């Protein structure tokens, strides 16, 4: 799977939080859409905000509906003091 595109089985899950316990999350069909939503969520949160995005697949062999979460493919962090955003690709 290309992390910025889509395939028929995979999708992308993202989540963002700040130091006060506020946050949001979402699901998107492409990495580009999920990254855009994650960036918007981080930008809307105050203080030190962090977020990450995972590739997810449906586990077709599970007895109950279940998902297989892949590694983190994108992390975004905003520094409280400067407001500067830092991005890292992959699971560092």
């Amino acid at each position: 799977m290309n992390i910025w595109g889509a395939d028929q089985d995979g999708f992308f899950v993202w989540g963002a939080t700040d130091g006060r316990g506020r946050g949001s999350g979402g699901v998107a069909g492409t990495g580009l859409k999920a990254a855009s939503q994650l960036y918007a969520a981080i930008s809307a949160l105050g203080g030190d905000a962090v977020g990450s995005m995972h590739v997810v697949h449906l586990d077709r062999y599970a007895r109950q509906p279940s998902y297989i979460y892949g590694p983190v493919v994108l992390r975004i962090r905003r520094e409280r003091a400067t407001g500067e955003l830092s991005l890292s690709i992959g699971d560092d």
Side-chain angles (χ1 to χ4, degrees):
M1 168 186 260
N2 174 346
I3 67 166
W4 303 113
D7 70 14
Q8 57 194 4
D9 292 333
F11 55 95
F12 298 84
V13 174
W14 62 267
T17 61
D18 65 11
R20 297 181 183 177
R22 295 181 312 151
S24 59
V27 176
T30 67
L32 190 57
K33 178 78 170 174
S36 175
Q37 292 171 346
L38 175 57
Y39 175 82
I42 292 285
S43 297
L45 290 170
D48 292 331
V50 296
S52 62
M53 180 175 83
H54 295 262
V55 177
V56 179
H57 287 90
L58 177 64
D59 185 348
R60 297 183 183 277
Y61 301 104
R63 294 184 126 185
Q64 299 291 328
S66 180
Y67 298 98
I68 300 169
Y69 284 74
V72 172
V73 294
L74 176 66
R75 289 186 194 279
I76 302 177
R77 174 178 299 276
R78 187 178 66 221
E79 300 297 327
R80 176 191 307 259
T82 64
E84 186 174 311
L85 292 176
S86 60
L87 290 96
S88 60
I89 305 295
D91 199 7
D92 297 342

